[in-house]
Amino acid sequence: MPDDLWTAATRHPFLDAVRDGTITDAAFDKWLCQDALFVADLLIFQARLLARAPRPDQQVLVGGCAALVAELDWFEEQAVRRGIDLDAEPLPATLAYRELLQRLDDEPYAAAITALWVIERVYLLGWTSAAPAAAPLDGFVEHWTTPDFAGYVEELGALASPGEHEEQVNAVLKLEVAFWDMALA
Ligand code: MP5
């Protein structure tokens, strides 16, 4: 397991700044708009993954799809609350991630479900490193550190095979670092 990449993807200056309350509104809002675009792309990927999932994996994946639809609603609420327009153009890191998700559509199911597990685990670990955060961003940290979310990541972990799909694991971790970097750039 590439430990340094996991660390780089889950302990990032962006997350430190959220925890410390030093993140600028501009950086946070940039991240928020791009993450909303990412989640829309992830829903497309996950719906396709559900369509080719073996019977025992369907329940976890359909729950995840429903959670992504709810998450898109949640992003829209957060945007209204912050007074920003989510209608942004995707930046290079978001487009690169979209391309990876599209490539994973053509890879074997075992590789794709492993990548999904990494995508979600990074968020659980990353936002855990941003806790405890002060208002007004505490809600974001809570959102990705709930016991429900941790349980979902664990369920995905039971379906993943990272030792056999290191290439996909590394590809996701690198794009996660690029995604955090983008917000601070
Ligand atoms: C997730 C996300 C987690 N929202 N954004 C990035 C760049 N990586 C991972 O996905 P979810 O489904 O929002 O928990």
Side-chain angles (χ1 to χ4, degrees):
M1 189 103 335
D3 285 338
D4 319 348
L5 259 184
W6 272 104
T7 304
T10 59
R11 311 291 308 234
H12 192 277
F14 177 88
L15 293 161
D16 293 340
V18 168
R19 185 188 54 243
D20 300 344
T22 54
I23 193 82
T24 63
D25 281 345
F28 194 81
D29 291 342
K30 185 176 177 187
W31 166 82
L32 187 67
C33 288
Q34 295 302 312
D35 211 51
L37 290 168
F38 170 81
V39 171
D41 291 340
L42 186 62
L43 176 58
I44 294 169
F45 165 73
Q46 189 154 341
R48 289 191 178 133
L49 194 60
L50 170 61
R52 63 186 172 120
R55 175 81 187 100
D57 296 10
Q58 289 171 344
Q59 191 67 52
V60 175
L61 285 172
V62 78
C65 282
L68 288 176
V69 175
E71 181 136 309
L72 289 171
D73 290 340
W74 183 79
F75 270 105
E76 284 161 18
E77 285 161 26
Q78 301 309 316
V80 170
R81 192 173 294 176
R82 293 180 66 80
I84 60 163
D85 187 355
L86 278 182
D87 193 19
E89 286 298 316
L91 293 172
T94 310
L95 289 172
Y97 223 142
R98 179 178 292 172
E99 280 160 23
L100 174 67
L101 293 174
Q102 287 169 350
R103 282 204 304 280
L104 287 165
D105 280 340
D106 295 324
E107 292 193 19
Y109 173 79
I113 187 84
T114 300
L116 177 62
W117 166 71
V118 179
I119 288 169
E120 298 294 1
R121 185 163 190 261
V122 160
Y123 254 44
L124 177 65
L125 298 179
W127 288 99
T128 299
S129 85
L137 300 183
D138 48 340
F140 287 86
V141 175
E142 280 157 22
H143 182 79
W144 278 295
T145 54
T146 62
D148 272 2
F149 182 51
Y152 174 55
V153 173
E154 206 171 309
E155 286 177 328
L156 287 176
L159 312 179
S161 41
E164 288 155 45
H165 299 100
E166 261 192 50
E167 188 192 322
Q168 289 85 356
V169 171
N170 291 354
V172 170
L173 292 174
K174 283 180 191 158
L175 286 177
E176 286 289 337
V177 176
F179 208 92
W180 299 126
D181 286 348
M182 165 181 68
L184 292 183

